[in-house]
Amino acid sequence: MDVPARRGSDRSPVPAIAFSIAAGLTAAIAFVVGPASGGAEPTITGSVLIAFAIGWALMSVLTRRFSAQPQPWTLVPAAFLGIVGISLVATQPGARAMDVLGWLWPFALFGVAIWSFIQMRRGLAGRARWLLHPVLAVLVLLAVGGGIETIAEAADRAAHPMPGRLIAVNGHQMHIECVGSGGLTVVLQSGAGESSIYWDRIMTTVSTSTRVCAYDRPGRGWSDPTTPEDGATVAAELHTLLRAAGEHGPYVLVGHSSGGLYVRIFAAAYPSETAGLALLDSQPATAFTSLPDYPMIYTGIRTVTSVGTPLARLGLTRLLYLSEFTGLPANAQSAQRANQSSAMLASSSRDEFAELATTITEALSTPSLGSTPLAVVTALSEAQRGWLEAQNELATLSTNSRHVVIADISHGDLIETERGAAASSEAILAVIAAVQTGTPMGGR
């Protein structure tokens, strides 16, 4: 039943409600960019919920103290959000536990939002209602989005069966797919936040000449999530995975983007098992000093990836990727969109960037490659300042290298588009030929 406004009262609840809403939003932003910045999903999500709980609690206190329409019912959403938020921050549930909660919290949040709407209609009159209508509508949308996303991720797993196989490595399952045959085995190392899926074009081409393996680092594709890993750990786990999969060196290591750092660390750790390298628009180990914009870019990425998992849980990331990865073949395109939309991938990306500075330092301390065949492919379209110079330096890691510069292809195009993947495949095959025949790479 609607409650009429009290006649003769000038103690409107509007200022108190508006201030409370603003305080909750401000606290949420402050937590995300402040003490919770770069934190894991439970820390970020829990901090935001605590901030919103503060806003709802303030609403109860301020409307009671400064208005003629007290709203004691707002303590209920305050308690719900506060208890859940504190529990997440205190217990730090893992990725699997958060996945299970994904089946529960949308229903709970929807129920709280509907209950709050009913209480608002009963206890609040006038223009103040219009301040709360958008707030409650957002809660409903978040609940619906979260529910749809949980169902969509389950459907994605059914729609995209795993190629290759899972192998136990250090207590968790890792996915690897190997195709083709030949004397050398090519190992593909994905860039930051990527899985094995986007190597589809290159695997298809290179596997006609030799054996090719693509795998998923923990928390992406079909591999189990685990704790954050630096480059040395990634290299050691890859070595264990290859051995357990029955694959034997010498390997031609291919790294795209940040994957280039990992293969350099692998080559330094296992030089007798490294026959050659191909660095596809690889991140230089001197990124913090040779790329003027990189320190700021890295800080921004750390902040963005820390909120990526909560956004993925709400289905917002899926919306962003609806029209992406159009360069890939249809089957890989769909699987790539599904993988990139998942909360697990977002969490893994956050962990990877949290360790990336350490990985860069580890790659910087690796020795040169001597005369090991090396191909460097550089994409200049949309490249940041200093990129070409840093790529030129990468080509000096070996006395037997070739550097291919492509002005009108972007970073992602080297893997995803037909033309870009063809250029990358050609560079990989050139390394294989140099290893097998002992001929020089041939410079540029």
Side-chain angles (χ1 to χ4, degrees):
M1 181 179 68
D2 291 354
V3 175
R6 299 183 182 183
R7 293 183 180 180
S9 173
D10 59 356
R11 300 175 65 198
S12 170
V14 169
I17 293 175
F19 179 84
S20 301
I21 294 172
L25 287 173
T26 301
I29 295 171
F31 286 161
V32 169
V33 301
S37 179
E41 179 187 4
T43 300
I44 294 293
T45 302
S47 297
V48 170
L49 293 178
I50 291 170
F52 290 159
I54 291 172
W56 283 106
L58 273 176
M59 201 176 301
S60 176
V61 173
L62 296 181
T63 55
R64 184 186 300 273
R65 178 71 176 82
F66 297 108
S67 84
Q69 295 185 54
Q71 303 297 310
W73 62 268
T74 59
L75 289 177
V76 173
F80 170 76
L81 296 176
I83 291 171
V84 174
I86 292 171
S87 298
L88 289 175
V89 173
T91 62
Q92 292 292 306
R96 296 301 187 195
M98 295 298 288
D99 288 343
V100 172
L101 290 174
W103 292 99
L104 304 175
W105 70 259
F107 295 100
L109 182 61
F110 185 83
V112 169
I114 297 302
W115 181 89
S116 297
F117 178 80
I118 294 171
Q119 300 306 310
M120 178 197 68
R121 296 291 298 180
R122 290 175 176 172
L124 189 62
R127 292 178 299 168
R129 287 182 177 178
W130 295 104
L131 288 175
L132 286 181
H133 280 159
V135 174
L136 297 177
V138 168
L139 292 182
V140 170
L141 288 175
L142 293 180
V144 171
I148 292 174
E149 176 60 26
T150 300
I151 295 170
E153 289 194 17
D156 287 339
R157 288 189 287 272
H160 303 291
M162 180 187 71
R165 53 189 171 134
L166 292 175
I167 294 176
V169 177
N170 296 339
H172 56 271
Q173 298 288 318
M174 293 186 68
H175 167 250
I176 186 170
E177 179 187 12
C178 297
V179 295
S181 61
L184 288 173
T185 297
V186 175
V187 179
L188 305 174
Q189 184 69 269
S190 304
E194 290 290 352
S195 67
S196 60
I197 298 168
Y198 81 156
W199 290 105
D200 184 84
R201 288 189 184 280
I202 291 175
M203 283 193 76
T204 300
T205 300
V206 177
S207 64
T208 61
S209 301
T210 193
R211 190 156 180 80
V212 185
C213 294
Y215 84 108
D216 291 316
R217 295 193 294 275
R220 57 200 62 193
W222 291 272
S223 291
D224 289 343
T226 186
T227 55
E229 297 182 340
D230 62 2
T233 303
V234 168
E237 287 201 336
L238 173 58
H239 185 258
T240 301
L241 174 65
L242 290 169
R243 286 292 182 89
E247 303 296 332
H248 302 286
Y251 305 111
V252 171
L253 306 170
V254 180
H256 174 239
S257 191
S258 296
L261 301 171
Y262 297 125
V263 299
R264 287 178 59 179
I265 295 169
F266 185 102
Y270 308 101
S272 64
E273 298 180 52
T274 301
L277 284 84
L279 302 178
L280 309 179
D281 220 33
S282 170
Q283 183 173 38
T286 58
F288 282 106
T289 55
S290 64
L291 304 177
D293 301 326
Y294 187 75
M296 182 178 65
I297 292 173
Y298 176 74
T299 300
I301 291 175
R302 282 293 310 278
T303 300
V304 170
T305 55
S306 68
V307 300
T309 311
L311 294 179
R313 297 275 182 204
L314 299 171
L316 298 177
T317 306
R318 186 173 297 271
L319 295 177
L320 294 177
Y321 287 126
L322 284 177
S323 59
E324 295 296 317
F325 315 116
T326 55
L328 287 171
N331 59 330
Q333 183 183 116
S334 176
Q336 174 77 337
R337 287 173 178 170
N339 182 67
Q340 291 293 312
S341 300
S342 71
M344 185 178 75
L345 188 282
S347 179
S348 175
S349 296
R350 176 263 166 198
D351 289 348
E352 183 168 28
F353 278 102
E355 293 291 333
L356 190 57
T358 300
T359 297
I360 286 174
T361 300
E362 292 168 345
L364 189 61
S365 64
T366 58
S368 68
L369 299 170
S371 60
T372 301
L374 167 67
V376 175
V377 181
T378 301
L380 287 186
S381 179
E382 304 175 4
Q384 58 184 294
R385 289 188 300 157
W387 190 255
L388 178 58
E389 292 77 9
Q391 295 289 300
N392 285 332
E393 186 178 351
L394 282 178
T396 67
L397 288 173
S398 172
T399 58
N400 183 19
S401 67
R402 173 189 296 178
H403 187 190
V404 178
V405 180
I406 309 176
D408 58 346
I409 280 184
S410 70
H411 187 71
D413 288 345
L414 280 179
I415 309 297
E416 297 174 13
T417 67
E418 186 173 358
R419 178 175 169 231
S424 296
S425 298
E426 182 180 351
I428 296 168
L429 293 172
V431 173
I432 294 172
V435 173
Q436 292 176 331
T437 64
T439 55
M441 286 293 295
R444 289 181 180 271

